[in-house]
Amino acid sequence: MEDSSPNLADRPVYVIGGGPGGLAAAYALRAQGIRAVVVEKADEVGASWRRHYDRLHLHTTRRLSALPGLPMPRRFGRWAARADVVRYLEKYAEVHELEIVTGVEVSRIDRTPDGTGWLLHASGGRELTGSAVVVATGYNHTPLLPDWPGRDTFTGELAHASVYRNGEPYAGRDVLVVGAGNTGAEIAVDLVENGASRVRLAVRTAPHIVRRSTAGWAAQYTAVLIRRLPVPLVDRLARPMAKLSVPDLSAHGLPRPETGLYSRVKEGAIPVQDVGLIDAVRKGRVEVVAAVESFEAADEDSGDGSAADGDKAASGDGDKADGKTGSKVVLADGSRISPDSIVAATGYVRALEGLVGHLGVLDERGRPVAHGARTPKNAPGLYFTGFTTPISGTLRELGIDAEKIAKAVRKKV
């Protein structure tokens, strides 16, 4: 795997990550006559898709989710299942005969000493020299579990959503899902459908909720049409549409967001696609509660009738005191609950600091300062794909980015 050739044109382009973005970039580069080598730390392509929960289906249509050079089979249906996406990625690599090295992790990227290329430091002491690098390690790279005060005192089961597969192990249990993004919303519904005795959804900021499809018209179609319109205009257009298509859930703890839909997208918050959450909340099968603030051990809950706890318990809401003697979860409104299990759908971090943080190519939030065909001014030849949350569909935009990156590389090699 070593390439010490000083000839820039003879060096491959290394693509870091064997997910959809990396595979699409490798194919697009090959289509431009450029040798591309995918380096994947897992033993198979599509590793992140293999880890997603069982019931997951794409929220984007099959036709607009295919990567360049290979349509998704019609048998996948309109909304492809997680397992089908994995099969598609495997087939994609096979059909295009992509050059993929698995089981190798790249830990750091540096400029080559002569400044003509890029040096990748990889597991096993490998040093790989490429003419350019495409970083496609994924938006959902490293699970983020907040370090809530007192978290270690919780005596129930606490797990990040990244290890959640299905609701069967939670049947008959009282479960708190933390986080109201697409993952948290869908897991909450899955828990209900698999027989959890009680499901609560902890929400810090009320999300925008949209129907995945209305009268056969996919929400993604609208997203594609409006993605380049001014943000304030889209925000204004979205408000009346939301009122027409989504019922007001304020009485159930989910008020309509004050911030505009597209403004939230630009901040990285994709709208929640409804796959059963609206009905579950309206019917009381999923109870919306305040955000998690901290945890406290059982002996810290004095039960002395203090205003923070006792008044709420006396109000007739049995949830406030829970009737349990185990450790407590303290919510933002001061209430305390004692679920048996917690599923933290609290997102991920990109974890790019170790890889490229020393190159000055990340912003204050750890995101690449340039994306797609653009490279950082101080790092020409270093490309990033898959680190945004486009409203028009991640897989669709990954395919578009891949072809743009390949054309940009072609001009320079």
Side-chain angles (χ1 to χ4, degrees):
M1 284 188 63
E2 295 187 5
D3 181 4
S4 59
S5 171
N7 188 341
L8 183 63
D10 291 339
R11 293 172 177 169
V13 174
Y14 282 105
V15 180
I16 306 175
L23 298 181
Y27 163 76
L29 288 162
R30 285 276 302 275
Q32 291 287 335
I34 301 168
R35 183 188 172 204
V37 179
V38 177
V39 183
E40 166 57 50
K41 69 176 182 179
D43 294 330
E44 300 171 292
V45 299
S48 64
W49 278 92
R50 296 175 191 275
R51 295 193 300 267
H52 287 315
Y53 47 94
D54 295 344
R55 71 169 281 150
L56 176 66
H57 284 68
L58 290 179
H59 293 160
T60 52
T61 67
R62 180 191 75 251
R63 290 184 178 180
L64 294 186
S65 299
L67 301 178
L70 187 68
M72 285 190 175
R74 290 176 61 88
R75 68 176 182 275
F76 285 5
R78 194 180 195 194
W79 316 104
R82 177 199 65 83
D84 286 333
V85 174
V86 171
R87 282 190 282 270
Y88 172 75
L89 296 178
E90 292 173 339
K91 190 69 173 179
Y92 192 86
E94 177 186 342
V95 167
H96 295 309
E97 299 180 337
L98 301 181
E99 190 174 349
I100 302 172
V101 179
T102 59
V104 174
E105 182 175 7
V106 177
S107 57
R108 181 183 172 95
I109 301 174
D110 285 307
R111 265 298 193 187
T112 54
D114 62 6
T116 63
W118 292 95
L119 181 64
L120 283 65
H121 304 272
S123 53
R126 298 173 177 85
E127 292 188 345
L128 317 173
T129 305
S131 59
V133 177
V134 180
V135 180
T137 50
Y139 195 84
N140 295 339
H141 186 275
T142 302
L144 172 63
L145 186 63
D147 188 19
W148 290 295
R151 191 182 75 186
D152 58 352
T153 67
F154 184 63
T155 55
E157 178 187 4
L158 171 60
H160 189 270
S162 59
V163 300
Y164 179 94
R165 291 295 171 267
N166 57 66
E168 292 180 5
Y170 298 90
R173 308 193 76 181
D174 179 342
V175 188
L176 173 67
V177 180
V178 183
N182 277 291
T183 297
E186 191 154 359
I187 286 177
V189 173
D190 192 52
L191 287 164
V192 168
E193 293 178 353
N194 279 277
S197 64
R198 188 176 193 178
V199 178
R200 285 173 281 202
L201 180 63
V203 179
R204 185 172 298 279
T205 303
H208 285 275
I209 304 175
V210 299
R211 301 286 189 182
R212 186 167 63 177
S213 178
T214 303
W217 179 264
Q220 185 186 13
Y221 297 160
T222 302
V224 170
L225 292 174
I226 58 92
R227 74 191 191 285
R228 300 197 185 282
L229 293 178
V231 172
L233 175 60
V234 177
D235 284 348
R236 288 197 298 271
L237 293 173
R239 289 190 188 100
M241 293 301 297
K243 290 182 179 179
L244 285 173
S245 60
V246 177
D248 186 359
L249 300 174
S250 299
H252 303 280
L254 277 181
R256 296 191 189 278
E258 297 180 1
T259 309
L261 184 148
Y262 208 14
S263 293
R264 292 279 293 276
V265 170
K266 290 299 185 180
E267 295 171 358
I270 291 293
V272 170
Q273 299 264 358
D274 178 46
V275 290
L277 180 67
I278 292 175
D279 284 344
V281 169
R282 292 177 73 181
K283 295 175 181 177
R285 301 175 74 190
V286 171
E287 305 167 48
V288 178
V289 298
V292 172
E293 288 293 311
S294 62
F295 292 74
E296 61 182 27
D299 59 359
E300 294 180 28
D301 187 12
S302 62
D304 60 1
S306 66
D309 214 6
D311 289 350
K312 291 172 182 172
S315 69
D317 186 349
D319 176 63
K320 301 302 181 180
D322 244 3
K324 298 180 182 178
T325 58
S327 54
K328 303 290 184 183
V329 179
V330 183
L331 304 180
D333 62 1
S335 59
R336 288 160 170 77
I337 61 176
S338 297
D340 301 318
S341 303
I342 299 175
V343 179
T346 45
Y348 297 78
V349 292
R350 289 359 106 207
L352 291 169
E353 288 78 7
L355 189 67
V356 296
H358 56 288
L359 298 174
V361 297
L362 304 178
D363 65 16
E364 66 281 357
R365 295 173 61 183
R367 302 172 303 182
V369 296
H371 196 268
R374 297 182 300 109
T375 61
K377 293 181 179 180
N378 61 330
L382 181 61
Y383 300 87
F384 294 87
T385 183
F387 297 98
T388 60
T389 52
I391 193 173
S392 49
T394 297
L395 292 177
R396 178 181 184 275
E397 296 300 328
L398 285 175
I400 293 172
D401 273 354
E403 295 184 325
K404 290 181 177 178
I405 290 171
K407 290 177 181 177
V409 173
R410 175 75 273 171
K411 291 179 181 178
K412 300 183 186 315
V413 175

